[in-house]
Amino acid sequence: MESEELTYATAPETVAPFNFGRASMRDAILHTCERPGADDRNNTPGGTPQVEVEEWLRFMKDKNVRRVLTLLEPNELAFYKTPLFDTYT
């Protein structure tokens, strides 16, 4: 068997807003990205400005993203003034 290197993480591109990219080079449907407002300065309850969430949403809509799976924990969901799930609908 030939030795080949497998990569399972999205390799950062030079221009990748929100670190958006394919989950795998073998998958054209599933993509990964950072959470809206992903910045340490926003890591307090209600600390993520709604304008950053709206910018993230516009970007996702421009990429024709129709569904979002979040892996955020309850303490991370608290970073949003408006509940994030309400914003997605």
Side-chain angles (χ1 to χ4, degrees), residues 1-6:
M1 179 175 185
E2 283 186 41
S3 174
E4 64 180 274
E5 185 176 312
L6 298 177

Side-chain angles (χ1 to χ4, degrees), residues 4-53:
E4 64 180 274
E5 185 176 312
L6 298 177
T7 303
Y8 294 99
T10 303
E13 297 179 19
T14 53
V15 180
F18 307 106
N19 200 26
F20 182 84
R22 291 167 60 164
S24 166
M25 293 308 293
R26 296 174 286 182
D27 191 344
I29 297 173
L30 182 65
H31 289 70
T32 63
C33 70
E34 298 172 336
R35 66 176 175 84
D39 191 310
D40 286 343
R41 66 183 160 76
N42 296 334
N43 291 353
T44 59
T48 302
Q50 188 63 26
V51 67
E52 291 185 29
V53 175

Side-chain angles (χ1 to χ4, degrees), residues 35-36 67-73 76-77 84-85 88:
R35 66 176 175 84
R67 293 183 183 91
V68 174
L69 168 69
T70 181
L71 302 177
L72 297 175
E73 296 182 5
E76 295 170 308
L77 289 170
L84 204 51
F85 295 126
Y88 288 163

Side-chain angles (χ1 to χ4, degrees), residues 55-71:
E55 179 185 355
W56 184 90
L57 286 169
R58 275 191 303 277
F59 178 82
M60 294 301 145
K61 286 179 182 179
D62 288 348
K63 295 293 184 182
N64 294 318
V65 172
R66 293 180 293 205
R67 293 183 183 91
V68 174
L69 168 69
T70 181
L71 302 177

